[in-house]
Amino acid sequence: MAEEYRADFPSETIREGKIEVLVPKLSAYGVVPSDYAPSRAPVFYNPVMEFNRDLSVLAFKAYQYLVNHEVSICEPLTSQGIRGIRYATEIDGVTRVLLSDINYHAYELAQHNIERNNLQGKISLKHKDANCVLSCNASPKKRFDIIDIDPFGTPVPYLDSAFMALKNKGLIAVTATDLAPLCGVHAKACFRKYGGKPMRTEYCHELAVRLLAGCMAHMAAKHDIGVKILLSHSSDHYIRVYAQIGYGCQRADDSLKSTGYILHCFNCLHRETTQQLFSCLTCPECGAKMDYAGPLWIDNINDEAYINQILTENQIDPFRNSPKISKLLTTLKAEAEAPITYYVLDKVCKKLSLPATSTQSVVVALQSGGYQVVQTHFNPRGIKTNASATVMHETLKKLVTP
């Protein structure tokens, strides 16, 4: 019984969403909430990820509403079970939830938390490797509507198994916390893991999202599966991508058409997309040689209709983080049809040896010139626009000229 369980490590009871669970007492391990890798405890638990879990609940609710049928969920890296227990408790129409962890301490703690919330009839728990759990549920009658891959580090080792265990039109949610490779600090590691070349630019966090999304598209295509990116964001120490899949070689081929490369000029900050690389990458604005990132996703990374439904769900049943979630989603909605990449104004001003100017003044000036302009969630000083680098330079010079 749940009351008979005694953790053999420092622990405490917390409330999150609508549930109550036992988790490691991080202060006993010298860990504070701002630590993004609280792995010194015998069972992984990160309170900072409550925002991620809140948004995941809302995103899965929105998906369940849009497909209009009951759903099954698998979270094969469950740790203490907090995610899966919240899904089973807070999302209507969930028929079954399968959780698993290879760490036996985590398995025992998750079992206790499942019993504590009286969810034994809805949640199954396995003490197995994540890929084993997913592969064992890859047959047509066992597949899931939603799979959540939320590891510490890269999600790539689990993607093949996850795509095989997902139903047609199912939803896969993927987190990556290894931003150093994805943002170009460790380029070789990024190429090994994600199959794409990163680039250390001011918009590297968007490149990180697009590298992950492109990797997902290529891995799914091997199984004749196409992907549609519904939602993506960069928050704190991680990136997160939600994608709906579709069976069939034509859908897979269509997905691959949404992958390509981003070319960048470090001299004038021009950037553009291409589906094919050529040996001579010359900047059309200043004539300098350009660098590139990819292959990666070059299509939209957010879907306005899906975001609208998540916003609706956020109003129906708000969380403690709901104001922050609403702010993020509103910005993502504005970005949904915006041009690829973004300019960081401080970077451009420094390049031109100009004093920094306000974001709003640049937005107004570009809009007055007839250009599309939206601010981005990736950077508070970042703007997405279809204005060229040359126009950006001229606009900033005019704004700071007495």
Side-chain angles (χ1 to χ4, degrees), residues 28 40 57 99 103 123 126 184 188 191 221 231 246 263 277 283 292 322 329 335 379:
R40 282 169 277 182
V57 169
L99 307 180
N103 180 333
I123 298 179
K126 303 289 185 181
K188 290 181 180 179
F191 191 76
L231 178 71
L263 309 181
L277 281 180
C283 176
Y292 72 94
S322 283
L329 291 172
E335 289 185 64
N379 190 308

Side-chain angles (χ1 to χ4, degrees), residues 372-393:
Q372 180 187 4
V373 190
V374 298
Q375 292 182 253
T376 176
H377 83 285
F378 287 109
N379 190 308
R381 293 279 286 161
I383 58 171
K384 286 176 166 282
T385 178
N386 58 354
S388 67
T390 301
V391 170
M392 281 293 298
H393 297 177

